Amino acid sequence: MGSKLSSSRYAVYNETMSTESPTRSYRKTERARQEAETRLRITEATVELHRTLGPANTTVTDVAKLAGVSRMTVYNHFPTLTELFMGCSTHWAASNPFPDPERWAEIDDASERLVSALTELYGWYEQKEDMLGKVFRDVPIVQALSTVMSELWTPYVDGMVGVLAHGWPSTNTEPETLHAALRLAVDFNTWRVLTESGLNHQGAAHLAARMVAGGSGRTI
């Protein structure tokens, strides 16, 4: 009997627990909300610094200062640069959706599909140059960024090339050559070279498409 609560003591215990539980639940919910808000501030600060300075010129101290937190808080949420860059990249991508290759796949003619795809892609490059230009500039010199791009951007490029390679005359060019030409056509730096030469993004898209088509024995 001594090891059991009496009915009166049990009632008090039960009442205490029932009144404390909502408080503890509220505190946990509030703490989770604050942590989510802090993580978002860190992520958005990283996005802004990558857009304006570039990943190679962004330090954890810079991120912490802009986010209004300590360096340790940044590390608590993102223990490594790779995790910080991944959080930044996925957040930016969610707000700046990539062109959807599945829409291009609905166009049967390969040449027409390529022109349409490159026109949309190059227009997107033009709109997002402030971020993409610095990211692609820094990929060769920032290992964490290279890792993130291999996980996020490389599969996207593979998907674009796969869709755009469908339907070309197989007798006129080797698949490896076609894929190489398409990879060159969809590359950010190809768009940059063409537009810096004086073409607008539509003109650049048509020229790149004609170069790919010419190698396959087609005309556009």
Side-chain angles (χ1 to χ4, degrees):
M1 293 293 292
S3 63
K4 297 181 179 180
L5 291 172
S6 67
S7 59
S8 60
R9 289 176 64 194
Y10 177 80
V12 172
Y13 171 80
N14 191 50
E15 181 179 355
T16 300
M17 291 301 293
S18 65
T19 56
E20 287 181 349
S21 293
T23 301
R24 287 199 303 273
S25 177
Y26 170 79
R27 288 173 179 168
K28 288 175 64 176
T29 300
E30 180 63 15
R31 184 165 57 250
R33 183 188 66 79
Q34 291 175 355
E35 289 179 353
E37 288 182 353
T38 299
R39 185 180 180 90
L40 180 60
R41 288 206 312 274
I42 293 169
T43 301
E44 290 181 339
T46 306
V47 168
E48 180 61 15
L49 290 166
H50 283 189
R51 186 186 68 81
T52 55
L53 302 178
N57 297 318
T58 297
T59 67
V60 172
T61 299
D62 295 330
V63 172
K65 183 177 180 180
L66 186 58
V69 300
S70 68
R71 292 176 76 254
M72 185 55 65
T73 299
V74 175
Y75 285 121
N76 285 340
H77 285 271
F78 300 98
T80 68
L81 274 182
T82 299
E83 290 173 276
L84 180 61
F85 286 4
M86 182 65 76
C88 168
S89 298
T90 54
H91 181 77
W92 184 85
S95 302
N96 300 272
F98 298 176
D100 184 6
E102 293 304 315
R103 291 201 308 271
W104 308 338
E106 298 173 0
I107 302 173
D108 292 330
D109 181 79
S111 298
E112 182 183 343
R113 183 190 319 125
L114 181 59
V115 171
S116 178
L118 291 180
T119 300
E120 181 181 3
L121 182 66
Y122 285 5
W124 185 73
Y125 283 162
E126 183 174 82
Q127 294 171 5
K128 313 303 177 184
E129 183 181 12
D130 57 346
M131 175 65 85
L132 295 175
K134 296 177 181 67
V135 168
F136 285 114
R137 179 198 68 193
D138 292 348
V139 166
I141 58 176
V142 181
Q143 181 58 51
L145 179 61
S146 177
T147 299
V148 170
M149 292 296 280
S150 293
E151 293 187 25
L152 297 181
W153 184 253
T154 300
Y156 176 66
V157 171
D158 291 342
M160 285 195 291
V161 170
V163 167
L164 296 176
H166 179 70
W168 293 90
S170 59
T171 56
N172 293 330
T173 187
E174 294 295 327
E176 295 82 2
T177 302
L178 174 61
H179 280 73
L182 289 170
R183 285 185 182 280
L184 181 62
V186 302
D187 190 84
F188 174 83
N189 287 310
T190 298
W191 163 80
R192 173 168 275 179
V193 168
L194 294 176
T195 54
E196 287 180 350
S197 298
L199 298 173
N200 60 25
H201 80 266
Q202 294 95 337
H206 277 79
L207 176 56
R210 286 199 299 271
M211 289 189 289
V212 173
S216 299
R218 297 280 292 274
T219 58
I220 295 179

